[in-house]
Amino acid sequence: MRPTDPRDDLCPDDVALALLYAGGRLSPGEAEAFERRLGEDQGTRDALCRAVELTQSLTGRPLRPRPDYRDRVRQRLRPPCGR
Amino acid sequence: MEDLNDATLVARFRAGDPRALDDLFARHEVPLFQFLVGMLRDHHQAEDALQETFVRALEHLDGVDPDHLRGWLFTVAYHQAMLARRKQKSRPAEPLGEGAVADREPGPLQTAAHRDDARRLRRLLAQLPAPQREVIRQRVYEGKRFRDIAADMDCPLNTALARMHEGLKRLRLLWGTDHAADGSSG
């Protein structure tokens, strides 16, 4: 069974706040408070993901990392079994 | 990708199965990247932080409950973003928008595309119900705070926020339809 998307039941207020944060529209104090929540709360992190996804989807450009980062990760990870 | 859960993928990764790593990338890289772009507002820095996140998170799996891998990855990503932010402090952050996902020096075609997107966005905005359109207009084009927009529209703050959310959702649908129509006519 495919796992459900944990962002499906996000609070719209959190997403709106995340949109303001990502847009650099919060005051320094508000941004700091939001970042404290990002450090502790997965729901807030998911709201930020959704806010970024919404912003990018409006421009029609899907947001993905360039795939070559995967090779750099593979090179840096030591073989897990001490091969 | 097989629909394996994270715990199984972690076990396979630790046993040396390289496909497990690919599956972990495929499952988690996009939300982690969105999160990092949201915090750093810079595509290149977010890619660097994403690389560090996977390396550090997977090198330090001892003691991590594999059923909570997602939370662990985001925790590491958060710390990587905060580290990058400290290094970044010498230069101002750009708001998330065109600059966040474009090259730092976009060429003329990209610039033209962004202008075209902005025009398209304004045209689609006109198709929204007036209350949603008004909240987005004041928020995006005037940069007003939600509490000021709510006062201006004589509605509760939560209503203004909900209109923003619904309006963006509808804009997203309209944008997709518009793009599809554009593609089929060209």
Side-chain angles (χ1 to χ4, degrees), chain A residues 3-4 7-8 10-11 13 18 21-23 29 31-32 37 43 46-47 51 56 58-61 63 77 81-83:
Chain A
T4 54
R7 298 176 298 172
D8 282 348
L10 287 177
C11 168
D13 290 2
Y21 169 78
E32 202 175 306
R37 286 180 59 196
D46 290 333
Q56 298 306 322
L58 287 176
T59 69
R61 299 184 188 90
L63 185 62
L77 282 174
C81 294
R83 282 176 296 168

Side-chain angles (χ1 to χ4, degrees), chain A residues 7 13 19-23 25 35 42 46 58 61 63-64 66 69-70 72 74 76 80-81, chain B residues 13-14 22 29-31 34 41 47 51-52 70 78 85 95-96 101 114 117 139 158 168 175:
Chain A
R7 298 176 298 172
D13 290 2
L19 276 165
L20 295 181
Y21 169 78
R25 301 282 192 175
E35 281 176 354
Q42 189 60 39
D46 290 333
L58 287 176
R61 299 184 188 90
L63 185 62
R64 286 188 165 275
R66 285 171 301 184
Y69 92 90
R70 292 184 177 192
R72 293 195 293 275
R74 283 190 199 95
R76 290 180 58 194
C81 294
Chain B
F13 165 73
R14 300 190 89 171
D22 285 331
E29 70 181 2
V30 169
Q34 289 168 339
R41 302 167 199 167
E47 277 186 350
Q51 179 185 327
E52 286 300 323
R70 188 169 188 276
Y78 171 79
R85 286 281 294 278
L96 178 65
V101 291
H114 292 158
D117 284 347
R139 178 66 245 169
N158 278 346
L168 285 172
W175 187 280

Side-chain angles (χ1 to χ4, degrees), chain A residues 38-60:
Chain A
L38 287 176
E40 300 159 358
D41 178 37
Q42 189 60 39
T44 308
R45 296 165 179 172
D46 290 333
L48 180 57
C49 295
R50 175 54 57 87
V52 171
E53 183 187 27
L54 274 171
T55 307
Q56 298 306 322
S57 65
L58 287 176
T59 69

Side-chain angles (χ1 to χ4, degrees), chain B residues 79-90:
Chain B
H79 288 292
Q80 288 304 314
M82 293 305 278
L83 269 176
R85 286 281 294 278
R86 281 198 274 279
K87 291 180 193 164
Q88 187 189 47
K89 275 215 165 160
S90 55

Side-chain angles (χ1 to χ4, degrees), chain A residues 73 77, chain B residues 10 13-14 21 24-25 53-62 69 72-73:
Chain A
V73 173
L77 282 174
Chain B
V10 166
F13 165 73
R14 300 190 89 171
L21 186 54
L24 288 169
F25 286 142
T53 296
F54 273 113
V55 170
R56 286 168 190 261
L58 295 175
E59 276 183 342
H60 298 92
L61 282 170
D62 289 342
L69 179 72
W72 169 238
L73 288 168

